[in-house]
Each structure stands twice: as structure tokens, then as C-alpha cells.
Amino acid sequence: MKELSLNILDIAENSTKAKAELINIEIIENSDTLIIKISDNGIGMNAETLLSVTDPFYTTRTTRKVGMGIPLFRFAAEQTGGNLTISSRHIDEHPTNHGTIVSATFNKNHIDFTPLGDIVSTLVTMIQGHPMTDYVFTHRIGDGLISLDTREMRAVLDGLPLDTYEVLCWVKENLTEQYKAL
Amino acid sequence: MKSLAELQAIKDRMKSKIVLREGSGDIRVVVGMATCGIAAGARPVLNAFVEEVNNLGLNDTVTVSQTGCVGYCQLEPIVEIYEAGKEKITYIHMTADKAKEVVEKHLKGGNIVSEYTLTDAE
């Protein structure tokens, strides 16, 4: 992946596949470190699946259900001397408090650091693809904060779908202006 | 600043149009957005389709949606066009510029851009 924002788009897709109603995307950034945390309230994974998603070669099954998304994201973090952690609570064992948290830490000054890239485009794409899912996005850069909460938008929109073109444009412009104001 | 008040104004403007839009969508544009598609550049392709369909005023007849991996990862970004009563058209190795061309010539003009389709490339 050329941008970490593309990894985020890819990982968040797993959350919607896991029937998440709410996906939280948190980026925390200072001069040295970038942390990306994606958490959801989807059905979660059991211990075996959890192992197989972090290491694509863990399983010998030929009908592998998981893809290369997490390994690629992990590699992007590890090649900067950072790391990726993933934890999950499966709905069968945790009926009321289930979901998955993927957290990756990057050393920004490492030569192999992949830039974050067009995160605004990633958010617009996620909302366009899954307008029924809610997203909470926060990006902390030093003391600055950029944020978007589709639950607040939904309250205003009163039934107008989030993937309405004018609404997607609003998301893009709102976030772009927040980044410019930093 | 694009505030929530502005979002409210969008809602007020659009609310009346909603009824007209439901049940429409004679043409379906489906963009592959699995890991393979995203890595190959599907995000700008999708956004180009969404923008251009709206710019050319086709949003009453065309819906743009996302799907997973269709199994030809080496040909990504892949875009499939479904139209009632017609054969599915598959565009491969798409870019944002090609996407705009497909909206203009195929979705608006009705002419398949055959140089980008799966059959011609194989």
C-alpha cells in the first residue's frame, strides 16, 4: 500500500464484514510517532481466527477465510521499528461487549515510514460504501484535533442517507477545512 | 467552516428529492474494494465514478457501489457495470481518468469503452 490511509480503508472493511455498527478510527500523532487505532463493535474473532489473521502462514487450511490486509498493515508498522497489536472479543463469549481493536504504531522518522496520505478520501470512501455504519474519526496532531462523528450527522440529516452526494461533499470539505485550520 | 448548520441546509434541500430517487438505479457500477483493489488504486477510481456520475446529472439512473475481491487480483482496479437486460461489462486496470471517460461515453452516451474491457485485454 502506498499510503497508510489505504490500509485504514482496507482494515475498516473487515469491521463492516464483522457487522460492526460503529467503527472508531483514532490517529494520534506527534513529531516522532504515529499511532493508528481502529476499533469496532462487530462480532469479533475467536482465538484461532485471531492467530490466523496476524500471521497468514499460521494455518495450513486451504480454505483460508482471512486475507492479506492485517499482515500488510503489520509489515508497514514493523518496517519502521513499530508494531501492530490486535485483540478481539467474540460475540459467542462476550454477548454484550464484543468487537475488535487493531492498533499500529509507526516511527515517523524511519526511512521506511509510509505516509498517512489522503485520509479524507478514505473516510469519504468508507461512508459511501457503508452508509448504514457509523464512524467516529479523531486525528490528534500535537495539541490539534480533527474529528468527525457520523452519529451527529445522522441526527441532523433526519433520514437523509449519508451516501447522498451532497453529504459526501460536506464530509470532504468539512475535514479538509479542519486540516487547513491546524 | 462546513458546519452542522450547513449540513442541515443540505438536508432541507435534498429531503424533497428522496422519494424520486428510491426505486431508481437502472445502471449499477460496482467497484472492487478488497485489499487487492485498494492496493491497485481503487479508491480514486471509486471517487471519480461518484463525482462524475453526479457532475453529469446521472445519479437518478446510476448507482455506484463497492464490492470485495472478484478473483482477478492482477487486473485490479476492476469495475463492473450492470444494466437491466444487458450483459455485464467488466472494465479492468482502471484509473480515475478512465473512470471519467467511462461515465461520459458509456453511462451517459451508451457506448462501451471497449479498449478498457476485460474481453479485449485477454
Side-chain angles (χ1 to χ4, degrees):
Chain A
M1 299 278 184
K2 288 180 190 142
E3 304 174 6
L4 294 178
S5 65
L6 292 173
N7 293 97
I8 294 174
L9 179 61
D10 187 34
I11 301 300
E13 191 65 32
N14 297 338
S15 297
T16 52
K17 278 200 204 103
K19 301 184 179 70
E21 290 161 356
L22 179 66
I23 303 173
N24 203 310
I25 296 145
E26 197 180 346
I27 305 174
I28 302 166
E29 192 173 353
N30 60 36
S31 53
D32 307 318
T33 310
L34 180 92
I35 298 168
I36 297 171
K37 189 173 157 190
I38 301 158
S39 47
D40 68 57
N41 64 354
I43 60 169
M45 287 175 279
N46 58 31
E48 192 208 2
T49 313
L50 196 55
L51 271 171
S52 67
V53 294
T54 45
D55 182 354
F57 308 113
Y58 164 79
T59 177
T60 53
R61 285 177 301 156
T62 49
T63 53
R64 199 161 43 80
K65 278 196 286 185
V66 293
M68 289 300 290
I70 294 280
L72 283 174
F73 196 31
R74 188 178 69 164
F75 181 71
E78 287 179 351
Q79 72 179 358
T80 71
N83 64 76
L84 179 141
T85 59
I86 176 164
S87 63
S88 196
R89 293 158 72 93
H90 194 267
I91 191 166
D92 287 349
E93 291 122 51
H94 306 274
T96 54
N97 182 20
H98 49 83
T100 300
I101 302 170
V102 177
S103 183
T105 304
F106 301 82
N107 288 317
K108 281 170 67 178
N109 301 321
H110 195 284
I111 190 162
D112 291 321
F113 175 67
T114 313
L116 180 62
D118 191 353
I119 185 69
V120 174
S121 187
T122 276
L123 289 160
V124 170
T125 304
M126 288 190 313
I127 295 169
Q128 197 275 340
H130 305 283
M132 300 302 279
T133 309
D134 273 313
Y135 300 92
V136 176
F137 170 72
T138 52
H139 186 170
R140 287 172 205 282
I141 307 176
D143 294 332
L145 172 69
I146 286 114
S147 67
L148 182 85
D149 188 336
T150 57
R151 295 170 303 182
E152 287 174 10
M153 292 174 58
R154 232 180 265 285
V156 171
L157 288 170
D158 185 31
L160 185 71
L162 287 184
D163 62 344
T164 306
Y165 182 71
E166 287 74 3
V167 175
L168 294 174
C169 290
W170 180 89
V171 170
K172 184 179 177 179
E173 286 164 21
N174 175 284
L175 287 167
T176 304
E177 285 180 9
Q178 286 190 57
Y179 275 105
K180 273 192 195 145
L182 266 191
Chain B
M1 185 58 113
K2 298 284 167 188
S3 61
L4 285 173
E6 196 155 339
L7 196 61
Q8 175 80 39
I10 291 171
K11 187 216 89 176
D12 294 339
R13 267 205 316 278
M14 299 303 297
K15 202 68 185 169
S16 54
K17 292 192 192 173
I18 272 193
V19 183
L20 293 173
R21 283 195 176 185
E22 276 173 7
S24 64
D26 310 327
I27 304 176
R28 229 157 37 89
V29 177
V30 180
V31 183
M33 296 290 291
T35 306
C36 47
I38 292 170
R43 187 182 66 186
V45 170
L46 176 97
N47 288 318
F49 268 106
V50 170
E51 272 175 43
E52 203 64 8
V53 161
N54 188 78
N55 289 345
L56 299 187
L58 302 173
N59 33 357
D60 285 341
T61 48
V62 180
T63 54
V64 182
S65 56
Q66 304 178 21
T67 189
C69 178
V70 282
Y72 303 102
C73 306
Q74 71 280 11
L75 304 178
E76 296 279 0
I78 296 174
V79 176
E80 295 173 323
I81 314 273
Y82 296 87
E83 194 169 353
K86 292 188 183 172
E87 220 171 298
K88 177 183 82 177
I89 304 297
T90 304
Y91 288 107
I92 60 168
H93 295 312
M94 288 297 280
T95 63
D97 286 340
K98 287 180 183 175
K100 285 181 184 168
E101 196 179 333
V102 166
V103 175
E104 170 84 42
K105 291 183 178 163
H106 183 168
L107 303 183
K108 192 173 185 212
N111 300 309
I112 296 161
V113 189
S114 49
E115 61 213 272
Y116 306 148
T117 57
L118 179 61
T119 38
D120 272 15
E122 302 254 287

